[in-house]
Amino acid sequence: MSVLVYAEHDNESLKTETNKLVHAALGASTDIVVLVAGSGCSAIADAAAKISGVSKVILADNEVYLHQLPENIADLVLELSADYTHLFAAATTTGKNFMPRVAALLDVAQISDVIKVVSEDTFVRPIYAGNAIATVQSSDTKKVVTVRAASFDAAANDGNASVEILDTVKTSEKSSFVSAELTVSERPELTAADVIISGGRGMQNGENFALLNGIADKLGAAIGASRAAVDAGFVPNDMQVGQTGKIVAPQLYIAVGISGAIQHLAGMKDSKVIVAINKDEEAPIFSVADYGLVGDLFDILPQLEAAL
């Protein structure tokens, strides 16, 4: 049994999701190989080689992989797949983009959003918006798996794996990169932050989200939002936490003015400590909260910031 893990990176730094992927993959095999595909990313391969449990790193460094287009990456992974029984990627924008294509080309069923690896052929994943947990046993000869990285601890960085250069270049005439409009923020990424404070419909408008800034600055937190707040146009959709947004599991999650719809709970209920602030004491968010403050957020937030 051997696992090919696709590294999460932005061509500048290796993301912690990769360490968590390796930790997850160790549940299926002790032979872990990491694939780094990108452009000008030799330093990322060196960083991946230090992850504990990794036996080898394959570096595909070419301009065609700069934007990690699904056609190119899927064909690359497909060519390498013959040597592996398992293919692992994070259930992120990148992983969700190319892994279904890999599964289709291999004619196997993808196992998605895995939160626990029981054995080499058995995996645990949420279904019905996280209201039920399914244990899935796969009889496919190759297991194509996307992992909810937030459910796993990160593997340590005390390894010393070798780095192998791969000259294979996979190009596609079906798609090409045009442009990317990315949100620039000095705050941590939602999926990597240890502390997150999120606002919901109770914030009433986008201007009131400024009330979260001072608290976020003092806690070094990322700022998120519920789907209701995003749909109402308060904040952009890249801030959305939930089943159709970003799945997070920080050390501390503060939900402000969020009632706790199933869609939102599915994206954050694995957080280590959950604090809820809501004036409705019957709000569903209190059912998953470790600490609850019932009151007007416009009174509580300034007091909380002053106390911090």
Side-chain angles (χ1 to χ4, degrees), residues 67-80:
H67 303 292
Q68 303 183 60
L69 297 179
E71 292 82 2
N72 300 348
I73 299 300
D75 288 348
L76 175 64
V77 172
L78 185 68
E79 179 158 315
L80 294 172

Side-chain angles (χ1 to χ4, degrees), residues 142-246:
K142 287 193 187 298
K143 315 294 191 289
V144 177
V145 180
T146 61
V147 174
R148 187 175 288 188
S151 298
F152 295 87
D153 293 328
N157 288 307
D158 55 5
N160 187 28
S162 60
V163 177
E164 175 185 306
I165 306 298
L166 183 69
D167 294 326
T168 302
V169 177
K170 293 291 184 180
T171 59
S172 173
E173 297 178 355
K174 295 179 180 178
S175 68
S176 61
F177 178 80
V178 177
S179 65
E181 296 181 15
L182 305 177
T183 301
V184 179
S185 174
E186 294 180 357
R187 300 195 187 282
E189 286 188 39
L190 271 172
T191 53
D194 288 331
V195 181
I196 296 172
I197 181 167
S198 290
R201 194 194 299 273
M203 300 299 293
Q204 298 183 2
N205 58 56
E207 288 75 19
N208 288 334
F209 265 77
L211 292 170
L212 306 180
N213 290 340
I215 297 171
D217 290 340
K218 292 184 176 184
L219 294 176
I223 296 180
S226 68
R227 178 172 178 171
V230 171
D231 287 349
F234 296 170
V235 291
N237 61 9
D238 63 329
M239 292 173 63
Q240 183 178 325
V241 172
Q243 185 185 15
T244 54
K246 295 177 180 176

Side-chain angles (χ1 to χ4, degrees), residues 274-293:
I274 299 172
V275 175
I277 301 172
N278 201 295
K279 65 181 180 181
D280 178 10
E281 63 184 34
E282 302 296 328
I285 191 71
F286 289 121
S287 68
V288 299
D290 298 287
Y291 300 93
L293 275 170

Side-chain angles (χ1 to χ4, degrees), residues 5-23 33-52 54 56-59 68 90 92 154-159 161 163 189 191-192:
V5 170
Y6 186 82
E8 278 281 325
H9 66 91
D10 58 5
N11 288 300
E12 294 181 1
S13 61
L14 187 69
K15 296 189 176 181
T16 56
E17 283 90 342
T18 307
N19 294 63
K20 295 178 180 181
L21 273 171
V22 171
H23 186 193
V33 176
V34 174
L35 170 62
V36 175
S39 180
C41 54
S42 59
I44 295 169
D46 293 338
K50 295 178 182 178
I51 300 176
S52 180
V54 174
K56 182 173 70 174
V57 174
I58 297 174
L59 173 60
Q68 303 183 60
T92 57
N157 288 307
D158 55 5
V163 177
E189 286 188 39
T191 53

Side-chain angles (χ1 to χ4, degrees), residues 110-112 114 118 121-125 127 134-138:
Q110 177 174 300
I111 307 165
S112 305
V114 166
V118 178
D121 66 351
T122 305
F123 309 88
V124 177
R125 61 181 297 264
I127 58 175
T135 300
V136 180
Q137 187 172 37
S138 171

